[in-house]
Amino acid sequence: MRRLALAVLLLAAGSAQAEWSAAELFAMIAKDRPGRATFHERKFIALLDRPVESTGELTFTPPDRLEKRTITPRPERVTVDAERVTLERAGKRHSLGLRENPGVAVLVESIRATLAGDLEALTRAYSVALDGTPARWRLTLRPLDPAASQLVERIHIGGEKARVRTVEILLADGDRSVMSVTPVAP
Amino acid sequence: MSADGPPQPGRRLALGVWLAALAFCLYQLAHTRFVADLSMFLPDAPTEEQRLLVDQLRDGALTRMVLIGIDGADAPTRARISAAMKQRLEQATERKSGTDPGRTPVFVSVANGQSGGFEKERELLLAHRYALSPNVTPARFSVEGLRAAVDETVDLLASPAGALVKGLVARDPTGEMLAVIERLRPGGGPRTVNGVWASPDGSRALLVARTRAAGSDIDAQAQALAAVEAAFKASAQGAAALVVTGPAVFSVRSRALIKHDVERLALASLGLVVAILLSVYRSPVLLGLGLVPVACGALAGVAAVSLGFGAVHGITLGFGTTLIGEAIDYSIYLFVQSEQRDVGGAGWVAGFWPTIRLGVLTSIAGFSALLFSGLPGLAQLGLYSITGLVAAALVTRFVLPSMLPRNVAIRDLSALGESLSKALGVLARARWVVAAAAVAAVAVLATHGRIWDRDLASLNPISAKDRQDDARMRADLATADARIMVAARGASADAALASAERVGARLDTLVAAGTLGGYDSPAKVLPSLDTQRARLASLPPAAELRARLDKALVGSPLSASRLGAFVEDVERARAQAPLTREALDGTAMAAALEGLLFADSAGRWTALVGLRAAKGAGIDVSAVRQALVEHGLIPPPDALVIDLKAEADRLYAGYFERALLMSAVGLAVIVALLFGALRDAGRVARVMLPLAAAVLVVAAVHALAGTLLNLLHLVGLLLVVAIGSNYALFFDRIGQGGTPAARTLASLTLANITTVASFGVLALSDIPVLRAMGSTVSLGAFAALVFSAMLSRPGVTIGAGTR
């Protein structure tokens, strides 16, 4: 299964740059998985006259735990653990299963799988295209699940070497969000 | 059966009365309703808290829950089965023989964690969100309030959760829909694996179905269980296995158990007694005649219970075997003790009837402890046994002698009697054994620690393992029974909801202070009409709202010009009538109210508010009660704080004390009866001594076997005294030299064997109530006979008795 996925990927992404493949990128990321980073996110929503911004911290704990702690505008914490998303906000806690919420899963899985260097997980949910060079690359992800693609059009993840620097999500309704990520020295 | 008629010319009269009574009993039997639900063994409740408790245990929301587990296979397969079962169960309809087949759903709700549960109600909730949201106040719709609410919504859009609300923002910029959904969602909830509920270790998929029918409707519950099994069969794949538990399962299973047990026991007991008697009598005619008093007694017992209680419980029928055990003795005494020349039994009547009459009276004293126990189920057993014994004795005394055919004589048992007399001599030399056994028993009981079991559960026919399974599944589902509740009362459903809201306001402060973890109130699902009206009244008219939005949203990324749909929705809500209970029919909200908002027979309504403990702490019941008292909510307008477990314990403890008292009274009556008959304190003591030793030995044997004694054991011990007093009395008569010893001994031994055999069969029952009685009486009756023999004075006997 894994081999097949890789082969398909290589065919899809590798013809122009045979020396640079998604498999190699993810091997590189998996070897040097980041721990903490700060983020700055801007969401462009049609209903709103200007983008809403948020800042905070991302913490990734291998193999599959991702925590997104928002500091502004309102403290909030989102934790993704195996197959659950937990949202803590204003003293309340909500928990969602990823499987029954494909719209949430598609957003979470892109960044988590990329940070984890888990190409297999990524190719399960998206068609993956890679361009650029190891020094400056860009992944383009398109959801495979029809329900998810009703919601998310595509996701661009940009990075330098083993580091993810930007995550841009384009929603099907035209809204989008852009998140820049700055690694924090451990 | 009538009272004593004149003995000789009254034979015809006695026969006539007997036939008339028989006809009446048969008529009553034909109109008897037989039941098997265990609520009969719930006590009559003296206080209001306890009445509510008993109602809850009998028919409450908890009794309608069917807990379903899917084991085996792998997680994705279990999830698929769970989803398929949910769909099938939601479509299951009741099969009724009458009209309108297949229209009534079996379950009001089936939950397995797929979706929050209110998807189908989304439109209804959206339309009524301003009446249902607790956030709707005049301040919320002021300029400042609107600004704060919209700011919060905009911030929410920035969060990952924003995706969930984005579509509604234009209609609902203050986020009321989210507040409504949040309020409806109960706290906690089980873990989800592959999109469906699962146990904490993930190895079992879980569903909760709630039946439409009440827990006491066992036929409907059996149908619900059949539907669950059918749904599983139709959905199952691979090596998956079904586990079903809950009160419905318990009542259906115990009914089956009772039915099976009662039939089996009655047959086994009857078979044994018939075999024993046939081997002794060697005469089918005598055997048939011997069973006449037993049959009449059973018939009279059922008729009396049917008249007195309106229905006869299955366990009561199982008690019929006790009647076989005791009532057969009367005819044994008549047949075996009668002189062979004593046609019609006149001599027997003069010589033995007073002793037997005394035995019947002492047994009545014993069974009275059941009659006055305060538990309707046990009172049935008492009434059944007393009526049965009296009827059997009267038939033996007044009817049976005239039925004895002249040419049928009992086999000569004098050879047996002679060898028994010799055995008696041996036993009498071992009288030290009685003392030794009694001392040993006292030593065991004194050093054993806990002897009595006051727990209501010890009378429950459901096995401990089944109960553990149930407890585990409940813990997994995090639906740990709402143990502590506040009952808010009112003259109408709406008044009860209003009362629940007042209680809720107080509980909110306790939750804020950390005293409570939270609470689930039906008023959170459906607010009272007044509360809804007050919320709707706080909405400003369209023009005013527009003006306020313009002011509030200056500088906001969400401009007022985009909120036309919001203004329209608010305007529509202002003109709307509040949401009523009737409008919720068939929705998940109605299912959530089911069993939590109900009327009693007097038409008063109760809303049950379930309390949840703060994390890692218990619920401080007195603090809750105190908080409600301080604000005048207790007593009027009627809120009760109920701790179900504590209340049940108190209830049962009360009945246990009462049973102890009743037993003491019963014992006193037995002693008084003996004294009245013997008129000699020394003789009474001699009669009682072996019985006391027997009781001690039985209690000690149970203690050694690790069985805690419950209420039924207690009554059993009293019966040991009652039945044993018969033996002791006969030995006393032998000791007084007025009786042919060999025949008496033969009859006593035979009576004892049948008693031990029939109660021994009862001891094999799976029903604790019957098992307790059986093991106590069979062992006790045997010990009473042996001990009485040991303490008798055979020297006098052998000289005066044998001929």
Side-chain angles (χ1 to χ4, degrees):
Chain A
M1 183 65 202
R2 186 182 196 134
R3 270 165 207 274
L4 182 68
L6 276 177
V8 170
L9 250 160
L10 289 174
L11 281 177
S15 54
Q17 299 123 322
E19 76 285 3
W20 169 238
S21 72
E24 280 175 72
L25 169 64
F26 275 78
M28 186 166 76
I29 293 173
K31 221 184 290 168
D32 184 16
R33 288 191 285 209
R36 279 170 62 210
T38 59
F39 72 83
H40 178 223
E41 188 175 37
R42 284 149 61 88
K43 282 191 175 175
F44 299 85
I45 296 167
L47 188 70
L48 302 183
D49 297 341
R50 57 169 193 268
V52 285
E53 303 192 21
S54 59
T55 61
E57 208 173 71
L58 286 172
T59 312
F60 178 72
T61 315
D64 57 9
R65 182 185 156 88
L66 176 66
E67 182 182 311
K68 183 184 185 191
R69 202 158 61 82
T70 306
I71 298 165
T72 62
R74 265 170 222 239
E76 175 188 83
R77 183 160 65 173
V78 181
T79 321
V80 190
D81 234 327
E83 56 176 31
R84 289 205 79 67
V85 184
T86 309
L87 173 74
E88 285 166 85
R89 188 184 163 87
K92 282 178 189 152
R93 228 176 112 95
H94 299 285
S95 189
L96 300 172
L98 285 179
R99 281 177 202 266
E100 59 266 37
N101 294 282
V104 177
V106 75
L107 295 171
V108 165
E109 204 56 19
S110 59
I111 175 111
R112 183 171 69 167
T114 306
L115 289 174
D118 187 351
L119 183 59
E120 195 193 358
L122 207 60
T123 51
R124 246 192 326 253
Y126 311 90
S127 72
V128 181
L130 175 68
D131 45 2
T133 63
R136 198 175 174 77
W137 47 265
R138 190 169 87 141
L139 278 173
T140 301
L141 311 176
R142 287 171 197 276
L144 295 173
D145 180 64
S149 58
Q150 292 272 303
L151 199 72
V152 177
E153 164 72 51
R154 64 179 190 276
I155 299 170
H156 293 298
I157 298 176
E160 294 164 3
K161 300 200 177 99
R163 294 282 178 262
V164 171
R165 302 312 292 258
T166 59
V167 179
E168 187 181 6
I169 299 172
L170 289 97
L171 299 181
D173 62 6
D175 291 351
R176 69 193 170 97
S177 72
V178 182
M179 178 165 77
S180 61
V181 181
T182 314
V184 177
Chain B
M1 311 293 141
S2 84
D4 298 31
Q8 280 305 326
R11 261 203 185 141
R12 205 170 265 180
L13 176 69
L15 217 60
V17 170
W18 174 62
L19 286 174
L22 211 56
F24 173 74
C25 288
L26 281 171
Y27 168 82
Q28 189 62 36
L29 182 71
H31 293 80
T32 293
R33 200 161 53 86
F34 292 93
V35 295
D37 75 294
L38 292 172
S39 56
M40 285 296 293
F41 289 88
L42 293 171
D44 294 327
T47 71
E48 190 150 356
E49 279 95 340
Q50 293 176 344
R51 214 156 25 242
L52 205 66
L53 163 81
V54 169
D55 283 351
Q56 280 301 296
L57 291 176
R58 206 189 306 267
D59 252 345
L62 293 175
T63 67
R64 300 170 184 222
M65 277 213 299
V66 181
L67 312 181
I68 304 164
I70 302 162
D71 286 341
D74 56 355
T77 309
R78 288 195 297 268
R80 271 196 300 277
I81 298 173
S82 169
M85 277 184 77
K86 174 177 157 76
Q87 215 173 5
R88 288 206 166 86
L89 291 178
E90 277 168 346
Q91 285 157 6
T93 47
E94 283 178 7
R95 293 184 308 273
K96 280 228 176 83
S97 46
T99 52
D100 191 23
R103 292 295 307 279
T104 328
V106 178
F107 299 102
V108 292
S109 76
V110 182
N112 70 345
Q114 280 180 308
S115 81
F118 292 100
E119 273 65 22
K120 278 182 279 178
E121 289 74 20
R122 212 182 109 91
E123 282 313 310
L124 185 71
L125 291 176
L126 195 61
H128 288 275
R129 66 185 184 274
Y130 293 105
L132 297 177
S133 165
N135 295 340
V136 175
T137 58
R140 176 93 159 175
F141 285 80
S142 67
V143 173
E144 292 72 30
L146 285 168
R147 183 181 299 136
V150 172
D151 275 358
E152 199 177 317
T153 303
V154 169
D155 289 346
L156 187 65
L157 286 174
S159 123
L164 300 173
V165 298
K166 206 171 73 174
L168 263 186
V169 169
R171 282 182 72 184
D172 185 21
T174 56
E176 305 309 336
M177 187 63 178
L178 206 61
V180 170
I181 296 275
E182 203 137 279
R183 206 167 161 78
L184 284 177
R185 191 179 299 148
R191 178 184 168 189
T192 315
V193 174
N194 290 89
V196 299
W197 282 340
S199 57
D201 65 0
S203 67
R204 172 182 279 179
L206 299 169
L207 297 93
V208 180
R210 285 168 63 190
T211 60
R212 188 199 50 75
S216 55
D217 184 350
I218 304 183
D219 286 331
Q221 296 291 351
Q223 239 182 66
L225 291 185
V228 170
E229 266 153 36
F232 175 75
K233 263 201 198 109
S235 318
Q237 302 164 312
L242 178 71
V243 188
V244 189
T245 178
V249 180
F250 286 178
S251 49
V252 170
R253 206 173 282 170
S254 54
R255 179 172 72 170
L257 180 75
I258 291 168
K259 191 167 179 296
H260 171 251
D261 233 35
V262 165
E263 284 168 1
R264 197 174 54 119
L265 293 176
L267 281 179
S269 182
L270 194 64
L272 258 178
V273 169
V274 163
I276 294 167
L277 292 184
L278 207 53
S279 72
V280 174
Y281 291 167
R282 305 269 164 96
S283 155
V285 177
L286 268 187
L287 171 70
L289 287 175
L291 290 177
V292 167
V294 177
C296 294
L299 199 57
V302 170
V305 170
S306 168
L307 272 177
F309 291 84
V312 179
H313 198 281
I315 289 183
T316 307
L317 291 183
F319 231 58
T321 47
T322 68
L323 259 189
I324 300 175
E326 265 212 87
I328 198 78
D329 293 359
Y330 304 149
S331 61
I332 291 174
Y333 293 144
L334 171 63
F335 295 161
V336 179
Q337 293 173 356
S338 294
E339 300 287 328
Q340 252 148 344
R341 283 151 293 175
D342 180 18
V343 176
W348 174 79
V349 166
F352 288 87
W353 172 244
T355 309
I356 291 170
R357 189 175 53 199
L358 187 57
V360 174
L361 290 175
T362 54
S363 293
I364 289 175
F367 281 119
S368 294
L370 279 178
L371 187 59
F372 298 111
S373 67
L375 293 146
L378 297 187
Q380 269 205 11
L381 299 183
L383 179 61
Y384 176 82
S385 302
I386 289 173
T387 316
L389 283 185
V390 170
L394 290 177
V395 170
T396 311
R397 161 68 180 82
F398 293 104
V399 180
L400 208 52
S402 54
M403 291 168 94
L404 276 177
R406 277 158 209 280
N407 55 348
V408 173
I410 186 154
R411 197 165 64 98
D412 188 12
L413 292 176
S414 46
L416 175 67
E418 293 301 336
S419 46
L420 283 171
S421 294
K422 288 201 189 88
L424 184 63
V426 176
L427 281 176
R429 258 170 266 133
R431 57 177 58 211
W432 60 272
V433 171
V434 180
V439 169
V442 168
V444 166
L445 293 174
T447 56
H448 200 75
R450 197 160 160 243
I451 293 168
W452 297 106
D453 186 358
R454 291 154 184 266
D455 193 354
L456 197 56
S458 61
L459 298 182
N460 193 332
I462 301 303
S463 74
K465 190 191 158 293
D466 281 356
R467 272 180 281 155
Q468 271 165 17
D469 283 355
D470 184 66
R472 212 194 95 196
M473 191 112 84
R474 268 169 209 283
D476 286 355
L477 277 162
T479 58
D481 327 27
R483 234 193 78 168
I484 299 174
M485 317 198 280
V486 180
R489 320 302 272 294
S492 65
D494 189 54
L497 286 171
S499 169
E501 281 167 350
R502 283 191 294 274
V503 168
R506 295 308 312 150
L507 295 178
D508 283 336
T509 65
L510 294 176
V511 172
T515 314
L516 270 184
Y519 64 94
D520 298 308
S521 170
K524 286 186 178 180
V525 177
L526 180 64
S528 70
L529 297 179
D530 278 349
T531 299
Q532 292 191 54
R533 283 195 196 102
R535 285 175 187 160
L536 295 177
S538 61
L539 301 172
E544 177 63 28
L545 179 60
R546 243 180 249 119
R548 288 183 196 177
L549 280 173
D550 282 341
K551 258 192 237 168
L553 300 187
V554 172
S556 167
L558 183 58
S559 80
S561 62
R562 294 182 192 268
L563 297 178
F566 169 52
V567 176
E568 275 171 36
D569 274 11
V570 169
E571 190 57 23
R572 199 172 308 128
R574 279 164 47 82
Q576 218 168 29
L579 195 59
T580 59
R581 230 160 50 83
E582 291 70 31
L584 293 179
D585 262 356
T587 66
M589 281 90 82
L593 288 178
E594 187 80 37
L596 294 180
L597 181 65
F598 52 85
D600 59 23
S601 51
R604 270 171 67 77
W605 284 77
T606 300
L608 286 182
V609 180
L611 306 187
R612 274 183 275 125
K615 227 179 198 135
I619 293 177
D620 185 349
V621 178
S622 63
V624 173
R625 196 168 279 139
Q626 183 64 27
L628 296 178
V629 168
E630 270 167 23
H631 288 78
L633 290 165
I634 297 176
D638 264 9
L640 295 171
V641 183
I642 305 168
D643 181 340
L644 287 184
K645 178 83 168 74
E647 211 63 62
D649 288 349
R650 221 182 346 266
L651 195 58
Y652 189 64
Y655 281 86
F656 197 80
E657 306 313 324
R658 184 167 164 179
L660 276 177
L661 179 69
M662 283 299 145
S663 302
V665 170
L667 189 65
V669 170
I670 291 174
V671 173
L673 284 168
L674 290 177
F675 194 81
L678 303 176
R679 302 189 180 278
D680 176 347
R683 279 172 74 190
V684 171
R686 224 169 6 259
V687 167
M688 288 305 291
L689 221 57
L691 306 182
V695 165
L696 286 172
V697 166
V698 171
V701 166
H702 278 85
L704 284 177
T707 310
L708 291 173
L709 302 182
N710 61 38
L711 212 141
L712 267 294
H713 288 103
L714 184 65
V715 176
L717 290 177
L718 202 53
L719 277 192
V720 168
V721 175
I723 296 172
S725 68
N726 262 8
Y727 307 151
L729 280 171
F730 278 119
F731 278 112
D732 176 76
R733 279 175 57 93
I734 295 171
Q736 299 300 309
T739 305
R743 273 175 182 284
T744 308
L745 276 178
S747 72
L748 271 182
T749 308
L750 191 55
N752 184 253
I753 289 172
T754 55
T755 303
V756 171
S758 59
F759 276 93
V761 167
L762 215 54
L764 301 178
S765 169
D766 291 326
I767 304 166
V769 170
L770 299 182
R771 188 171 56 227
M773 190 61 106
S775 67
T776 318
V777 178
S778 58
L779 193 62
F782 181 70
L785 180 73
V786 174
F787 288 170
S788 298
M790 285 174 171
L791 294 186
S792 68
R793 296 170 167 179
V796 187
T797 306
I798 290 167
T802 44
R803 16 170 125 190

